[in-house]
Amino acid sequence: MYEPIRTKSVHSTVDGPNPDFPHRSREEELDIQLAGHLAALLTVTDELRATQSSADLDTAAERLAEQVGRLRGGRTPVRAPMSGRRERSTEALHRRAHALAGRALVVAASRADTAAAILAAERMDAHTAALEPRALASR
């Protein structure tokens, strides 16, 4: 009733990975994800630095740039000047940074990267602290 299949499936992985298609290990994928989250956090940190001057933000930006460079094999992250950016509220920037730091913390923990996990946790704490006076004032 049905004709048997005479050719190999193009979707078959029985013969192993296709050498023409680049594959990454789980660790490489996690490195890419973590570098992306930390680079996004660096961008928001730079936006915050443009709205308010703080030694804590300056130090955090340097540490974030260092971690992104380490994860990207020594390539330093590109940092755009903040002059052409649209203005967002400081509270919105702190909320965004807190969320990004949380994502970075999850990936750093799954990859067992202690330095990145500590940095992400510190940034979460800093952004939470920056939001607390606003939360108390709005009650």
mmCIF file with all atom_site columns, all heavy atoms in Angstrom, residues 49-68:
data_model
loop_
_atom_site.group_PDB
_atom_site.id
_atom_site.type_symbol
_atom_site.label_atom_id
_atom_site.label_alt_id
_atom_site.label_comp_id
_atom_site.label_asym_id
_atom_site.label_entity_id
_atom_site.label_seq_id
_atom_site.pdbx_PDB_ins_code
_atom_site.Cartn_x
_atom_site.Cartn_y
_atom_site.Cartn_z
_atom_site.occupancy
_atom_site.B_iso_or_equiv
_atom_site.pdbx_formal_charge
_atom_site.auth_seq_id
_atom_site.auth_comp_id
_atom_site.auth_asym_id
_atom_site.auth_atom_id
_atom_site.pdbx_PDB_model_num
ATOM 1   N N   . ARG A 1 49 ? 23.897 56.677 34.268 1.00 0.00 ? 49 ARG A N   1
ATOM 2   C CA  . ARG A 1 49 ? 25.031 57.567 34.514 1.00 0.00 ? 49 ARG A CA  1
ATOM 3   C C   . ARG A 1 49 ? 24.845 58.903 33.815 1.00 0.00 ? 49 ARG A C   1
ATOM 4   O O   . ARG A 1 49 ? 25.316 59.931 34.305 1.00 0.00 ? 49 ARG A O   1
ATOM 5   C CB  . ARG A 1 49 ? 26.327 56.912 34.045 1.00 0.00 ? 49 ARG A CB  1
ATOM 6   C CG  . ARG A 1 49 ? 26.753 55.750 34.933 1.00 0.00 ? 49 ARG A CG  1
ATOM 7   C CD  . ARG A 1 49 ? 27.966 55.024 34.390 1.00 0.00 ? 49 ARG A CD  1
ATOM 8   N NE  . ARG A 1 49 ? 29.100 55.937 34.255 1.00 0.00 ? 49 ARG A NE  1
ATOM 9   C CZ  . ARG A 1 49 ? 29.997 55.843 33.295 1.00 0.00 ? 49 ARG A CZ  1
ATOM 10  N NH1 . ARG A 1 49 ? 29.913 54.906 32.379 1.00 0.00 ? 49 ARG A NH1 1
ATOM 11  N NH2 . ARG A 1 49 ? 30.999 56.684 33.249 1.00 0.00 ? 49 ARG A NH2 1
ATOM 12  N N   . ALA A 1 50 ? 24.152 58.895 32.673 1.00 0.00 ? 50 ALA A N   1
ATOM 13  C CA  . ALA A 1 50 ? 23.903 60.140 31.954 1.00 0.00 ? 50 ALA A CA  1
ATOM 14  C C   . ALA A 1 50 ? 22.882 61.011 32.685 1.00 0.00 ? 50 ALA A C   1
ATOM 15  O O   . ALA A 1 50 ? 22.911 62.232 32.560 1.00 0.00 ? 50 ALA A O   1
ATOM 16  C CB  . ALA A 1 50 ? 23.416 59.835 30.541 1.00 0.00 ? 50 ALA A CB  1
ATOM 17  N N   . THR A 1 51 ? 21.986 60.384 33.449 1.00 0.00 ? 51 THR A N   1
ATOM 18  C CA  . THR A 1 51 ? 20.966 61.158 34.160 1.00 0.00 ? 51 THR A CA  1
ATOM 19  C C   . THR A 1 51 ? 21.392 61.564 35.560 1.00 0.00 ? 51 THR A C   1
ATOM 20  O O   . THR A 1 51 ? 20.912 62.554 36.085 1.00 0.00 ? 51 THR A O   1
ATOM 21  C CB  . THR A 1 51 ? 19.641 60.371 34.263 1.00 0.00 ? 51 THR A CB  1
ATOM 22  O OG1 . THR A 1 51 ? 19.858 59.178 35.013 1.00 0.00 ? 51 THR A OG1 1
ATOM 23  C CG2 . THR A 1 51 ? 19.087 60.045 32.890 1.00 0.00 ? 51 THR A CG2 1
ATOM 24  N N   . GLN A 1 52 ? 22.258 60.779 36.174 1.00 0.00 ? 52 GLN A N   1
ATOM 25  C CA  . GLN A 1 52 ? 22.716 61.085 37.538 1.00 0.00 ? 52 GLN A CA  1
ATOM 26  C C   . GLN A 1 52 ? 24.154 60.633 37.700 1.00 0.00 ? 52 GLN A C   1
ATOM 27  O O   . GLN A 1 52 ? 24.519 59.560 37.254 1.00 0.00 ? 52 GLN A O   1
ATOM 28  C CB  . GLN A 1 52 ? 21.818 60.406 38.572 1.00 0.00 ? 52 GLN A CB  1
ATOM 29  C CG  . GLN A 1 52 ? 21.822 58.887 38.487 1.00 0.00 ? 52 GLN A CG  1
ATOM 30  C CD  . GLN A 1 52 ? 20.751 58.252 39.367 1.00 0.00 ? 52 GLN A CD  1
ATOM 31  O OE1 . GLN A 1 52 ? 19.679 58.804 39.532 1.00 0.00 ? 52 GLN A OE1 1
ATOM 32  N NE2 . GLN A 1 52 ? 21.067 57.106 39.921 1.00 0.00 ? 52 GLN A NE2 1
ATOM 33  N N   . SER A 1 53 ? 24.958 61.450 38.324 1.00 0.00 ? 53 SER A N   1
ATOM 34  C CA  . SER A 1 53 ? 26.355 61.062 38.533 1.00 0.00 ? 53 SER A CA  1
ATOM 35  C C   . SER A 1 53 ? 26.465 60.306 39.847 1.00 0.00 ? 53 SER A C   1
ATOM 36  O O   . SER A 1 53 ? 25.879 60.684 40.852 1.00 0.00 ? 53 SER A O   1
ATOM 37  C CB  . SER A 1 53 ? 27.250 62.294 38.539 1.00 0.00 ? 53 SER A CB  1
ATOM 38  O OG  . SER A 1 53 ? 26.890 63.137 39.608 1.00 0.00 ? 53 SER A OG  1
ATOM 39  N N   . SER A 1 54 ? 27.206 59.199 39.789 1.00 0.00 ? 54 SER A N   1
ATOM 40  C CA  . SER A 1 54 ? 27.364 58.362 40.971 1.00 0.00 ? 54 SER A CA  1
ATOM 41  C C   . SER A 1 54 ? 28.634 57.536 40.818 1.00 0.00 ? 54 SER A C   1
ATOM 42  O O   . SER A 1 54 ? 28.874 56.935 39.767 1.00 0.00 ? 54 SER A O   1
ATOM 43  C CB  . SER A 1 54 ? 26.153 57.438 41.118 1.00 0.00 ? 54 SER A CB  1
ATOM 44  O OG  . SER A 1 54 ? 26.405 56.408 42.025 1.00 0.00 ? 54 SER A OG  1
ATOM 45  N N   . ALA A 1 55 ? 29.429 57.495 41.875 1.00 0.00 ? 55 ALA A N   1
ATOM 46  C CA  . ALA A 1 55 ? 30.639 56.679 41.855 1.00 0.00 ? 55 ALA A CA  1
ATOM 47  C C   . ALA A 1 55 ? 30.282 55.205 41.762 1.00 0.00 ? 55 ALA A C   1
ATOM 48  O O   . ALA A 1 55 ? 30.997 54.424 41.119 1.00 0.00 ? 55 ALA A O   1
ATOM 49  C CB  . ALA A 1 55 ? 31.475 56.956 43.096 1.00 0.00 ? 55 ALA A CB  1
ATOM 50  N N   . ASP A 1 56 ? 29.158 54.813 42.387 1.00 0.00 ? 56 ASP A N   1
ATOM 51  C CA  . ASP A 1 56 ? 28.706 53.424 42.337 1.00 0.00 ? 56 ASP A CA  1
ATOM 52  C C   . ASP A 1 56 ? 28.380 53.015 40.905 1.00 0.00 ? 56 ASP A C   1
ATOM 53  O O   . ASP A 1 56 ? 28.758 51.928 40.464 1.00 0.00 ? 56 ASP A O   1
ATOM 54  C CB  . ASP A 1 56 ? 27.479 53.237 43.234 1.00 0.00 ? 56 ASP A CB  1
ATOM 55  C CG  . ASP A 1 56 ? 26.958 51.811 43.197 1.00 0.00 ? 56 ASP A CG  1
ATOM 56  O OD1 . ASP A 1 56 ? 27.764 50.880 43.410 1.00 0.00 ? 56 ASP A OD1 1
ATOM 57  O OD2 . ASP A 1 56 ? 25.749 51.633 42.936 1.00 0.00 ? 56 ASP A OD2 1
ATOM 58  N N   . LEU A 1 57 ? 27.699 53.876 40.168 1.00 0.00 ? 57 LEU A N   1
ATOM 59  C CA  . LEU A 1 57 ? 27.363 53.567 38.770 1.00 0.00 ? 57 LEU A CA  1
ATOM 60  C C   . LEU A 1 57 ? 28.614 53.521 37.900 1.00 0.00 ? 57 LEU A C   1
ATOM 61  O O   . LEU A 1 57 ? 28.720 52.685 37.002 1.00 0.00 ? 57 LEU A O   1
ATOM 62  C CB  . LEU A 1 57 ? 26.358 54.579 38.222 1.00 0.00 ? 57 LEU A CB  1
ATOM 63  C CG  . LEU A 1 57 ? 24.943 54.490 38.782 1.00 0.00 ? 57 LEU A CG  1
ATOM 64  C CD1 . LEU A 1 57 ? 24.104 55.662 38.283 1.00 0.00 ? 57 LEU A CD1 1
ATOM 65  C CD2 . LEU A 1 57 ? 24.293 53.172 38.392 1.00 0.00 ? 57 LEU A CD2 1
ATOM 66  N N   . ASP A 1 58 ? 29.558 54.414 38.167 1.00 0.00 ? 58 ASP A N   1
ATOM 67  C CA  . ASP A 1 58 ? 30.817 54.404 37.404 1.00 0.00 ? 58 ASP A CA  1
ATOM 68  C C   . ASP A 1 58 ? 31.575 53.101 37.620 1.00 0.00 ? 58 ASP A C   1
ATOM 69  O O   . ASP A 1 58 ? 32.047 52.473 36.670 1.00 0.00 ? 58 ASP A O   1
ATOM 70  C CB  . ASP A 1 58 ? 31.700 55.592 37.803 1.00 0.00 ? 58 ASP A CB  1
ATOM 71  C CG  . ASP A 1 58 ? 31.095 56.930 37.418 1.00 0.00 ? 58 ASP A CG  1
ATOM 72  O OD1 . ASP A 1 58 ? 30.198 56.955 36.546 1.00 0.00 ? 58 ASP A OD1 1
ATOM 73  O OD2 . ASP A 1 58 ? 31.523 57.951 37.994 1.00 0.00 ? 58 ASP A OD2 1
ATOM 74  N N   . THR A 1 59 ? 31.669 52.683 38.880 1.00 0.00 ? 59 THR A N   1
ATOM 75  C CA  . THR A 1 59 ? 32.354 51.433 39.205 1.00 0.00 ? 59 THR A CA  1
ATOM 76  C C   . THR A 1 59 ? 31.630 50.239 38.596 1.00 0.00 ? 59 THR A C   1
ATOM 77  O O   . THR A 1 59 ? 32.257 49.327 38.046 1.00 0.00 ? 59 THR A O   1
ATOM 78  C CB  . THR A 1 59 ? 32.454 51.257 40.735 1.00 0.00 ? 59 THR A CB  1
ATOM 79  O OG1 . THR A 1 59 ? 33.123 52.396 41.274 1.00 0.00 ? 59 THR A OG1 1
ATOM 80  C CG2 . THR A 1 59 ? 33.209 49.997 41.107 1.00 0.00 ? 59 THR A CG2 1
ATOM 81  N N   . ALA A 1 60 ? 30.303 50.260 38.691 1.00 0.00 ? 60 ALA A N   1
ATOM 82  C CA  . ALA A 1 60 ? 29.509 49.162 38.136 1.00 0.00 ? 60 ALA A CA  1
ATOM 83  C C   . ALA A 1 60 ? 29.706 49.059 36.625 1.00 0.00 ? 60 ALA A C   1
ATOM 84  O O   . ALA A 1 60 ? 29.848 47.961 36.086 1.00 0.00 ? 60 ALA A O   1
ATOM 85  C CB  . ALA A 1 60 ? 28.037 49.359 38.454 1.00 0.00 ? 60 ALA A CB  1
ATOM 86  N N   . ALA A 1 61 ? 29.733 50.201 35.944 1.00 0.00 ? 61 ALA A N   1
ATOM 87  C CA  . ALA A 1 61 ? 29.921 50.193 34.491 1.00 0.00 ? 61 ALA A CA  1
ATOM 88  C C   . ALA A 1 61 ? 31.279 49.607 34.119 1.00 0.00 ? 61 ALA A C   1
ATOM 89  O O   . ALA A 1 61 ? 31.383 48.817 33.172 1.00 0.00 ? 61 ALA A O   1
ATOM 90  C CB  . ALA A 1 61 ? 29.777 51.610 33.941 1.00 0.00 ? 61 ALA A CB  1
ATOM 91  N N   . GLU A 1 62 ? 32.304 49.968 34.872 1.00 0.00 ? 62 GLU A N   1
ATOM 92  C CA  . GLU A 1 62 ? 33.637 49.414 34.602 1.00 0.00 ? 62 GLU A CA  1
ATOM 93  C C   . GLU A 1 62 ? 33.658 47.904 34.815 1.00 0.00 ? 62 GLU A C   1
ATOM 94  O O   . GLU A 1 62 ? 34.225 47.163 34.006 1.00 0.00 ? 62 GLU A O   1
ATOM 95  C CB  . GLU A 1 62 ? 34.676 50.073 35.521 1.00 0.00 ? 62 GLU A CB  1
ATOM 96  C CG  . GLU A 1 62 ? 34.975 51.516 35.190 1.00 0.00 ? 62 GLU A CG  1
ATOM 97  C CD  . GLU A 1 62 ? 35.879 52.166 36.238 1.00 0.00 ? 62 GLU A CD  1
ATOM 98  O OE1 . GLU A 1 62 ? 36.557 51.429 36.979 1.00 0.00 ? 62 GLU A OE1 1
ATOM 99  O OE2 . GLU A 1 62 ? 35.887 53.406 36.297 1.00 0.00 ? 62 GLU A OE2 1
ATOM 100 N N   . ARG A 1 63 ? 33.058 47.443 35.907 1.00 0.00 ? 63 ARG A N   1
ATOM 101 C CA  . ARG A 1 63 ? 33.038 46.010 36.204 1.00 0.00 ? 63 ARG A CA  1
ATOM 102 C C   . ARG A 1 63 ? 32.210 45.245 35.178 1.00 0.00 ? 63 ARG A C   1
ATOM 103 O O   . ARG A 1 63 ? 32.570 44.137 34.768 1.00 0.00 ? 63 ARG A O   1
ATOM 104 C CB  . ARG A 1 63 ? 32.502 45.778 37.610 1.00 0.00 ? 63 ARG A CB  1
ATOM 105 C CG  . ARG A 1 63 ? 33.471 46.249 38.686 1.00 0.00 ? 63 ARG A CG  1
ATOM 106 C CD  . ARG A 1 63 ? 32.915 46.088 40.081 1.00 0.00 ? 63 ARG A CD  1
ATOM 107 N NE  . ARG A 1 63 ? 32.667 44.684 40.390 1.00 0.00 ? 63 ARG A NE  1
ATOM 108 C CZ  . ARG A 1 63 ? 31.825 44.276 41.333 1.00 0.00 ? 63 ARG A CZ  1
ATOM 109 N NH1 . ARG A 1 63 ? 31.155 45.148 42.057 1.00 0.00 ? 63 ARG A NH1 1
ATOM 110 N NH2 . ARG A 1 63 ? 31.661 42.983 41.559 1.00 0.00 ? 63 ARG A NH2 1
ATOM 111 N N   . LEU A 1 64 ? 31.089 45.822 34.751 1.00 0.00 ? 64 LEU A N   1
ATOM 112 C CA  . LEU A 1 64 ? 30.259 45.175 33.736 1.00 0.00 ? 64 LEU A CA  1
ATOM 113 C C   . LEU A 1 64 ? 31.013 45.067 32.414 1.00 0.00 ? 64 LEU A C   1
ATOM 114 O O   . LEU A 1 64 ? 30.993 44.020 31.754 1.00 0.00 ? 64 LEU A O   1
ATOM 115 C CB  . LEU A 1 64 ? 28.945 45.941 33.539 1.00 0.00 ? 64 LEU A CB  1
ATOM 116 C CG  . LEU A 1 64 ? 27.927 45.790 34.655 1.00 0.00 ? 64 LEU A CG  1
ATOM 117 C CD1 . LEU A 1 64 ? 26.839 46.854 34.527 1.00 0.00 ? 64 LEU A CD1 1
ATOM 118 C CD2 . LEU A 1 64 ? 27.316 44.399 34.642 1.00 0.00 ? 64 LEU A CD2 1
ATOM 119 N N   . ALA A 1 65 ? 31.676 46.140 32.012 1.00 0.00 ? 65 ALA A N   1
ATOM 120 C CA  . ALA A 1 65 ? 32.455 46.124 30.764 1.00 0.00 ? 65 ALA A CA  1
ATOM 121 C C   . ALA A 1 65 ? 33.559 45.074 30.829 1.00 0.00 ? 65 ALA A C   1
ATOM 122 O O   . ALA A 1 65 ? 33.824 44.372 29.845 1.00 0.00 ? 65 ALA A O   1
ATOM 123 C CB  . ALA A 1 65 ? 33.042 47.505 30.493 1.00 0.00 ? 65 ALA A CB  1
ATOM 124 N N   . GLU A 1 66 ? 34.179 44.943 32.008 1.00 0.00 ? 66 GLU A N   1
ATOM 125 C CA  . GLU A 1 66 ? 35.229 43.942 32.184 1.00 0.00 ? 66 GLU A CA  1
ATOM 126 C C   . GLU A 1 66 ? 34.673 42.523 32.026 1.00 0.00 ? 66 GLU A C   1
ATOM 127 O O   . GLU A 1 66 ? 35.275 41.683 31.347 1.00 0.00 ? 66 GLU A O   1
ATOM 128 C CB  . GLU A 1 66 ? 35.832 44.115 33.573 1.00 0.00 ? 66 GLU A CB  1
ATOM 129 C CG  . GLU A 1 66 ? 36.927 43.147 33.920 1.00 0.00 ? 66 GLU A CG  1
ATOM 130 C CD  . GLU A 1 66 ? 37.407 43.364 35.348 1.00 0.00 ? 66 GLU A CD  1
ATOM 131 O OE1 . GLU A 1 66 ? 37.924 44.466 35.619 1.00 0.00 ? 66 GLU A OE1 1
ATOM 132 O OE2 . GLU A 1 66 ? 37.254 42.449 36.161 1.00 0.00 ? 66 GLU A OE2 1
ATOM 133 N N   . GLN A 1 67 ? 33.515 42.249 32.617 1.00 0.00 ? 67 GLN A N   1
ATOM 134 C CA  . GLN A 1 67 ? 32.911 40.920 32.530 1.00 0.00 ? 67 GLN A CA  1
ATOM 135 C C   . GLN A 1 67 ? 32.460 40.604 31.106 1.00 0.00 ? 67 GLN A C   1
ATOM 136 O O   . GLN A 1 67 ? 32.648 39.488 30.619 1.00 0.00 ? 67 GLN A O   1
ATOM 137 C CB  . GLN A 1 67 ? 31.723 40.795 33.495 1.00 0.00 ? 67 GLN A CB  1
ATOM 138 C CG  . GLN A 1 67 ? 32.119 40.728 34.945 1.00 0.00 ? 67 GLN A CG  1
ATOM 139 C CD  . GLN A 1 67 ? 32.958 39.508 35.260 1.00 0.00 ? 67 GLN A CD  1
ATOM 140 O OE1 . GLN A 1 67 ? 32.681 38.400 34.808 1.00 0.00 ? 67 GLN A OE1 1
ATOM 141 N NE2 . GLN A 1 67 ? 34.004 39.709 36.039 1.00 0.00 ? 67 GLN A NE2 1
ATOM 142 N N   . VAL A 1 68 ? 31.873 41.587 30.432 1.00 0.00 ? 68 VAL A N   1
ATOM 143 C CA  . VAL A 1 68 ? 31.443 41.369 29.047 1.00 0.00 ? 68 VAL A CA  1
ATOM 144 C C   . VAL A 1 68 ? 32.657 41.081 28.173 1.00 0.00 ? 68 VAL A C   1
ATOM 145 O O   . VAL A 1 68 ? 32.636 40.168 27.346 1.00 0.00 ? 68 VAL A O   1
ATOM 146 C CB  . VAL A 1 68 ? 30.643 42.582 28.507 1.00 0.00 ? 68 VAL A CB  1
ATOM 147 C CG1 . VAL A 1 68 ? 30.371 42.442 27.014 1.00 0.00 ? 68 VAL A CG1 1
ATOM 148 C CG2 . VAL A 1 68 ? 29.334 42.736 29.268 1.00 0.00 ? 68 VAL A CG2 1
#
